[in-house]
Amino acid sequence: MSVDAATVKRIGRLARIRIEEDEVTGYQNELNAILGFVEQLSEVNVEGVAPMTSVTPMVLRRRDDVVTDGGYAEKIVANAPLSEDNFFMVPKVVE
């Protein structure tokens, strides 16, 4: 797969990045190099390799999945500009 100048300009527009005309060729070469590397990765035989989420073995800490009432509603609304009975109060936006 190869990226042409029009595609580079379109990617820039979609990403809202201004790409000057003299920069198009550089970005085109960089994108083509990246895509070439991705194509090389597809040639690697990964059959029998387990998927992993990290390069180092990790175990997530787990906690019991229990329902609680929280018990700290006052702390939650403490920084709210306006609250009443532990509920956030907001301006009316719908008539």
Side-chain angles (χ1 to χ4, degrees):
M1 178 177 190
S2 181
V3 176
D4 61 353
T7 305
V8 171
K9 290 177 185 177
R10 183 165 188 263
I11 291 170
R13 191 181 85 249
L14 291 172
R16 299 181 188 266
I17 299 171
R18 183 182 342 176
I19 299 178
E20 302 296 334
E21 198 62 41
D22 58 335
E23 298 174 323
V24 172
T25 306
Y27 285 123
Q28 184 177 353
N29 292 337
E30 287 182 32
L31 287 170
N32 283 325
I34 292 169
L35 291 175
F37 179 71
V38 171
E39 286 178 5
Q40 283 181 341
L41 290 176
S42 67
E43 296 172 3
V44 176
N45 181 13
V46 292
E47 191 170 323
V49 178
M52 56 189 214
T53 58
S54 176
V55 294
T56 58
M58 297 174 63
V59 176
L60 295 176
R61 291 181 289 157
R62 303 211 183 246
R63 62 176 171 80
D64 292 333
D65 189 15
V66 294
V67 177
T68 64
D69 65 350
Y72 46 88
E74 297 85 17
K75 291 180 182 179
I76 293 172
V77 296
N79 291 328
L82 194 58
S83 67
E84 184 176 303
D85 296 326
N86 293 330
F87 291 100
F88 292 99
M89 294 183 67
V90 298
K92 185 176 180 179
V93 294
V94 178
E95 293 298 324

